[in-house]
Amino acid sequence: MKLVLGRDDLAEAAVAAVREAGGEPERVGISPVHKASRGFVNASDVDLCELAIVTVLQAVAHGKPVLLLPLTTLGRHQHQTLVTMGGLSVADVEGHRVGVRAWSQTTGVWVRGFLTEQYGVDLRKAHWTTYEGHHVEGAVDPSWVRRAPEGTKLPADFLAGNVDFGIMGNELPADDRIRTAIDDAHTVAQQWSKDQGFVPVNHVVGVSEAAAARHAPAILAAYDAMRTVLTDQDESGPFPLHPVGFEALRGAFTKAAAYALEQDVIPRAVDYDELVQHTCAALDVSPSRLGG
C-alpha cells in the first residue's frame, strides 16, 4: 500500500497503523507533495495521498476515482498571500495584472473568493496569468485567463514587474519590496474566520477507490492514527488549523466548492454530502465512523 504524505509525523503514524493492520505500507517520497497529485488522481499510482482541497473537488467533478479521508494536513489563513510591490492595494485589482501559479491552486481559489465576496471585485475585469496546468485531466483554464510562456515562473515574473499582484503562499520570494495588498491582512483573516466559523483548509487526504476496495481496514487504521496526531496538537486560536472528521471539514469544503464553481474551476456543483456518501460507501462505514 503506497502512501504520499508531506508531514513526517503523519506519515510515520499512518505507516505504523497500516503495518499493524496487516498491510504492507510504503511511503513514497515526493517533494513538494503537490507533485504527487496528478499521478494519484488520474492513474491511481499511489493508494493514499495528501491532496489540495480544490484538487479533491476537481477530481470529483470530473469523475475521477478519488475519495476524501477527512483529515486536514495543512490549514492556514490566506489573506496575506495577495501581494504587490508598488503603491497598489486590493482596491486596484480590477484592471491590473494578477499572477497565480495555477488556476486551480487552492490558495488562489480562496483569495479570489475573498476578492469577490469581501471587496466586490469582478474577476473578469482583472488580467489573470497562470503558469501551470491542472492536476486533474480534463480541467482547463477559463477563456478569460492567460497562460504565461512555457518555462516562466510566477516569483520571477512578479519580481520583474510583469504582473502587478501575485497570489503566493510557500513560493513567496524573500524581497523587502513585497507587501500584502490587503491592509492588516492578519486581522482581516481572523475576522473572516470568526464570521465563517473555520480557518481555510489547503490540504487533506485522498484515497483511491481501488485502495478502498482492497485495503479498507488498513485505511481506517491509518485514519485513526493520523487523527490522533492531529487532535493531540496544541493549536491556539478559536478554530483549529487542522480540523478532523466530516463535520469539522464541512464548512471549508462547502465554501471552497462555492468559490470554485463561481470561478470556473469546476464544471459542476459538488455537494459536500456527495463526498461523504462516496467515501462511506467505498469503505463500508457510517459517516459517524469518520467524524460525521
Side-chain angles (χ1 to χ4, degrees):
M1 183 174 163
K2 295 182 178 180
L3 303 86
V4 177
L5 292 161
R7 285 177 48 169
D8 290 340
D9 56 349
L10 294 177
E12 290 166 4
V15 165
V18 170
R19 184 174 292 117
E20 189 168 334
E24 297 180 3
E26 174 190 354
R27 184 186 183 188
V28 180
I30 298 178
S31 181
V33 72
H34 72 79
K35 290 186 177 295
S37 301
R38 185 178 298 275
F40 170 73
V41 168
N42 301 301
S44 299
D45 60 0
V46 296
D47 300 297
L48 182 150
C49 186
E50 181 173 334
L51 287 178
I53 188 173
V54 174
T55 302
V56 174
L57 292 168
Q58 275 196 323
V60 171
H62 285 272
K64 303 299 183 182
V66 171
L67 307 170
L68 168 65
L69 204 60
L71 300 154
T72 303
T73 60
L74 174 62
R76 69 177 179 211
H77 294 292
Q78 301 282 13
H79 286 74
Q80 76 284 353
T81 63
L82 178 67
V83 296
T84 186
M85 290 194 299
L88 301 173
S89 76
V90 64
D92 302 305
V93 168
E94 289 185 9
H96 286 85
R97 301 164 299 174
V98 190
V100 61
R101 177 173 57 80
W103 193 248
S104 56
Q105 183 184 17
T106 295
T107 295
V109 171
W110 283 121
V111 171
R112 292 193 301 269
F114 305 152
L115 288 176
T116 58
E117 197 169 68
Q118 294 181 275
Y119 300 98
V121 173
D122 183 342
L123 298 178
R124 288 164 177 77
K125 291 183 179 178
H127 305 296
W128 294 93
T129 299
T130 61
Y131 297 80
E132 296 179 13
H134 302 252
H135 296 311
V136 178
E137 290 178 358
V140 296
D141 287 357
S143 60
W144 40 279
V145 172
R146 167 186 173 270
R147 179 63 59 83
E150 187 71 26
T152 309
K153 301 295 184 183
L154 172 57
D157 224 18
F158 175 71
L159 291 175
N162 295 325
V163 292
D164 304 301
F165 296 91
I167 299 175
M168 289 181 278
N170 295 335
E171 67 267 52
L172 182 69
D175 192 302
D176 290 340
R177 296 173 295 170
I178 298 172
R179 61 182 185 77
T180 58
I182 297 172
D183 289 339
D184 202 5
H186 179 71
T187 300
V188 174
Q190 294 279 356
Q191 185 61 51
W192 185 90
S193 287
K194 182 179 179 181
D195 293 341
Q196 300 294 330
F198 58 85
V199 172
V201 168
N202 263 48
H203 288 187
V204 291
V205 177
V207 174
S208 73
E209 289 182 2
R214 293 194 304 263
H215 307 297
I219 290 167
L220 293 170
Y223 168 82
D224 291 340
M226 288 188 282
R227 177 187 61 194
T228 297
V229 171
L230 293 169
T231 55
D232 280 352
Q233 292 178 339
D234 182 17
E235 296 189 342
S236 59
F239 307 106
L241 287 174
H242 301 90
V244 173
F246 282 129
E247 281 309 305
L249 277 164
R250 181 175 292 276
F253 257 95
T254 301
K255 194 67 164 180
Y259 284 166
L261 185 64
E262 292 168 356
Q263 298 166 22
D264 292 341
V265 176
I266 52 177
R268 67 168 179 86
V270 176
D271 185 85
Y272 185 60
D273 286 321
E274 176 183 351
L275 278 67
V276 174
Q277 292 162 8
H278 195 183
T279 297
C280 291
L283 293 174
D284 193 25
V285 296
S286 66
S288 61
R289 174 64 177 84
L290 296 171

